[in-house]
């Protein structure tokens, strides 16, 4: 489709003037090349970020009743992490349990290591 056909299509579909259609096509070309033409202000960015958060600490059921979400603790994983940390502690003194159910960071011979425990569902 050539440029004149595109301009006619824009005029028809968007109900705009020919000048506006030409300006629209020029703006599209600039945006395609990476120009940031419609940036939000810092205040608008904060609001946009706040509005896009989907998780919250509370949930609402079908009856409109609110309740707090709680994460169940996995005692098996906590025990395993503790046992692994105790085993590694014999080899090094710099050990840190970052997440009691998941992650251990430690240093060995001047290098940093991380152990992550996962429990597949099936």
């Amino acid at each position: 489709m050539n440029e004149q056909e595109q301009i006619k299509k824009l005029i028809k579909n968007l109900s705009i003037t020919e000048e506006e259609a030409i300006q629209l096509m020029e703006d599209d070309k600039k945006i395609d090349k990476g120009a940031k033409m419609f940036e939000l202000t810092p205040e608008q960015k904060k609001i946009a970020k706040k509005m896009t958060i989907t998780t919250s600490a509370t949930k609402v059921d079908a009856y409109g009743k609110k309740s707090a979400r709680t994460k169940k603790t996995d005692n098996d994983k906590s025990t395993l992490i503790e046992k692994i940390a105790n085993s590694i502690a014999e080899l090094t003194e710099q050990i840190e349990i970052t997440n009691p159910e998941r992650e251990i960071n430690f240093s060995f011979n001047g290098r940093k290591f991380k152990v992550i425990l996962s429990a597949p569902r099936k």
Side-chain angles (χ1 to χ4, degrees), residues 4-57:
Q4 288 299 322
E5 290 175 358
Q6 284 183 322
I7 291 172
K8 287 179 184 177
K9 187 176 178 182
L10 289 172
I11 291 169
K12 179 183 173 205
N13 292 339
L14 300 177
S15 302
I16 57 177
T17 65
E18 186 174 350
E19 293 81 24
E20 290 173 329
I22 292 169
Q23 183 64 42
L24 179 65
M25 288 180 60
E26 289 174 7
D27 290 346
D28 282 346
K29 288 177 185 175
K30 289 178 186 175
I31 290 171
D32 288 343
K33 291 183 180 180
K36 303 236 184 224
M37 299 184 66
F38 308 105
E39 277 294 305
L40 298 176
T41 64
E43 185 177 317
Q44 289 173 327
K45 286 181 183 178
K46 283 183 185 178
I47 293 170
K49 186 175 181 180
K50 183 179 177 184
M51 298 305 284
T52 56
I53 294 174
T54 59
T55 58
S56 66

Side-chain angles (χ1 to χ4, degrees), residues 54-105:
T54 59
T55 58
S56 66
T58 60
K59 63 180 180 177
V60 180
D61 64 8
Y63 304 105
K65 194 175 186 184
K66 292 184 179 181
S67 61
R69 295 180 189 201
T70 56
K71 183 180 182 289
K72 296 178 185 174
T73 57
D74 190 340
N75 293 330
D76 293 339
K77 286 174 74 175
S78 298
T79 303
L80 284 171
I81 286 289
E82 189 177 316
K83 298 279 185 186
I84 292 169
N86 289 339
S87 299
I88 294 171
E90 296 172 4
L91 301 172
T92 184
E93 291 151 15
Q94 295 179 343
I95 188 165
E96 175 187 6
I97 299 176
T98 311
N99 183 333
E101 293 183 12
R102 185 166 193 270
E103 187 175 322
I104 302 170
N105 292 328

